[in-house]
């Protein structure tokens, strides 16, 4: 009897020790690194606003007045639409805190160039004129952002760089010249031409740099990603057309500085500042650890 009791007590001790060891194993740290529970691929939609600026170097070195953001309070919606952009994005996560993506954007561009200059109007007489060029056009942009995120929380700041390829698809240049002094014999002159390969380089390559914040929004066993960022872009190529540079353009296709000798044109580059919001949808991976079998802890 004593021997049986001892064996039973010994068996209970061994069983308790085994059970304790089983439950003493640490549970998985499902929230230690949130990136491990994120999908490898995300797709999304983009919307935003941009401000466009034309930069002139060399040539006649005309000092243009140019607004940073062309805005008319009396025409609120058209003004905002003239700076709007929309698009699609695909992003692939490369590691816990970096990714590469492709963004295809359709963007409206608007800006205005103006300056004052003097012209002879008679023998020994000069007249000051004010010239204003209104530029509205659209572009298709393709950029490849390489992004570095920081931190492991649901809010992540990030920075990114990207090459951008642009293709102007439609637009117009409206030119107006008026005398500054009142003279009944001198009326304002106007002209409008379509933006084509005759007066604009048909494609360009540029560089983009930006920064933003990403928010992870849990939805049951799924989640969304919201990205808000600001960036600057600068086109690397001279945007005067080959025909303008060669002096072969028909004057009916161009306005303004393109009427002067080609060697005085200098160079014209285009840049943009953009603020955009992206909503991204992960393609897989609901959060792990929400429902886990006993065997997954082994």
């Amino acid at each position: 009897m004593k021997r049986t009791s001892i064996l039973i007590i010994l068996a209970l001790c061994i069983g308790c020790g085994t059970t304790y060891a089983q439950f003493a194993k640490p549970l998985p740290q499902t929230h230690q690194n949130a990136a491990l529970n994120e999908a490898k691929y995300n797709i999304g939609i983009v919307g935003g606003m941009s401000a466009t600026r034309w930069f002139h170097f060399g040539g006649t070195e005309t000092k243009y007045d140019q607004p940073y953001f062309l805005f008319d309070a009396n025409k609120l919606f058209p003004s905002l639409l003239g700076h709007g952009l929309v698009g699609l994005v695909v992003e692939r996560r490369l590691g816990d805190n970096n990714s590469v993506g492709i963004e295809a954007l359709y963007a409206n561009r608007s800006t205005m160039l103006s300056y004052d200059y003097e012209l002879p109007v008679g023998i020994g007489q000069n007249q000051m004129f004010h010239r204003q060029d209104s530029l509205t056009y659209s572009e298709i942009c393709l950029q490849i952002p390489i992004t570095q995120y920081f931190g492991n929380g649901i809010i992540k700041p990030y920075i990114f760089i990207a090459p951008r390829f642009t293709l102007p698809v439609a637009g117009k240049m409206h030119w107006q010249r008026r005398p500054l002094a009142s003279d009944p014999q001198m009326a304002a002159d106007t002209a409008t031409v379509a933006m084509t390969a005759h007066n604009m380089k048909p494609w360009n390559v540029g560089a983009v740099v930006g920064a933003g914040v990403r928010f992870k929004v849990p939805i049951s066993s799924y989640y969304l990603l919201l990205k808000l960022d600001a960036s600057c872009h600068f086109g690397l190529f001279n945007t005067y057309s080959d025909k303008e540079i060669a002096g072969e353009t028909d004057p009916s296709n161009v306005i303004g500085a393109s009427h002067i000798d080609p060697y005085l044109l200098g160079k014209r580059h285009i840049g943009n500042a953009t603020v955009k919001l992206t909503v991204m949808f992960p393609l897989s991976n609901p959060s792990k650890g929400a429902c886990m079998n006993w065997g997954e802890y082994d």
Side-chain angles (χ1 to χ4, degrees):
M1 181 67 182
K2 290 182 178 180
R3 179 178 296 181
T4 303
S5 300
I6 294 173
L7 291 176
I8 292 173
I9 293 172
L10 183 60
L12 289 172
C13 290
I14 294 174
C16 290
T18 303
T19 303
Y20 175 80
Q22 173 69 27
F23 284 96
K25 291 182 179 181
L27 295 178
Q29 300 298 314
T30 57
H31 301 291
Q32 185 173 7
N33 190 344
L36 297 178
N37 293 335
E38 292 183 1
K40 182 170 288 188
Y41 289 93
N42 304 304
I43 61 172
I45 54 176
V46 182
M49 304 288 293
S50 66
T52 298
R53 195 164 185 85
W54 287 23
F55 299 91
H56 295 80
F57 304 99
T60 58
E61 297 185 355
T62 301
K63 303 301 182 183
Y64 294 99
D65 291 325
Q66 190 174 176
Y68 286 97
F69 191 78
L70 189 60
F71 179 77
D72 186 349
N74 297 320
K75 300 178 180 179
L76 178 61
F77 183 74
S79 292
L80 296 178
L81 187 62
H83 299 280
L85 62 89
V86 295
L88 300 174
V89 58
V90 177
E91 182 184 53
R92 185 186 190 280
R93 186 164 60 86
L94 300 178
D96 292 350
N97 280 308
N98 44 68
S99 68
V100 63
I102 298 178
E103 296 180 356
L105 307 171
Y106 180 86
N108 290 329
R109 310 294 191 195
S110 300
T111 191
M112 182 183 292
L113 306 174
S114 60
Y115 64 100
D116 297 336
Y117 63 101
E118 189 176 43
L119 284 179
V121 294
I123 299 176
Q125 293 183 327
N126 291 334
Q127 173 69 53
M128 292 296 297
F129 289 87
H130 177 77
R131 163 154 172 178
Q132 179 175 289
D133 295 345
S134 300
L135 313 162
T136 57
Y137 60 102
S138 300
E139 287 181 338
I140 292 176
C141 308
L142 182 69
Q143 61 187 38
I144 305 172
I146 300 171
T147 305
Q148 177 65 50
Y149 296 96
F150 302 95
N152 292 317
I154 61 173
I155 300 177
K156 285 188 175 185
Y158 62 89
I159 58 175
F160 65 94
I161 58 173
R164 177 187 290 181
F165 306 90
T166 59
L167 177 68
V169 291
K172 63 181 181 180
M173 304 178 181
H174 179 74
W175 170 75
Q176 182 185 69
R177 183 183 70 179
R178 59 178 175 81
L180 288 178
S182 58
D183 188 334
Q185 297 181 350
M186 302 184 67
D189 298 325
T190 62
T192 301
V193 299
M195 185 176 288
T196 67
H198 291 282
N199 49 46
M200 174 66 68
K201 187 176 182 65
W203 59 277
N204 212 325
V205 178
V208 180
V209 60
V213 179
R214 195 199 75 173
F215 303 88
K216 186 174 182 180
V217 182
I219 303 176
S220 186
S221 61
Y222 190 67
Y223 65 93
L224 297 178
L225 298 175
L226 303 181
K227 297 176 66 175
L228 179 64
D229 57 56
S231 61
C232 292
H233 158 262
F234 186 79
L236 301 179
F237 295 161
N238 180 13
T239 61
Y240 283 122
S241 70
D242 292 339
K243 289 184 177 295
E244 286 177 293
I245 295 173
E248 300 172 356
T249 304
D250 185 338
S252 63
N253 292 318
V254 297
I255 59 174
S258 300
H259 291 294
I260 67 175
D261 292 335
Y263 68 90
L264 294 178
L265 282 178
K267 294 182 179 181
R268 182 182 65 195
H269 294 260
I270 298 178
N272 312 105
T274 301
V275 176
K276 68 183 191 298
L277 175 67
T278 305
V279 182
M280 293 201 297
F281 305 89
L283 293 182
S284 63
N285 282 34
S287 298
K288 295 181 179 179
C291 183
M292 189 170 293
N293 296 324
W294 283 100
E296 291 183 82
Y297 291 110
D298 293 336

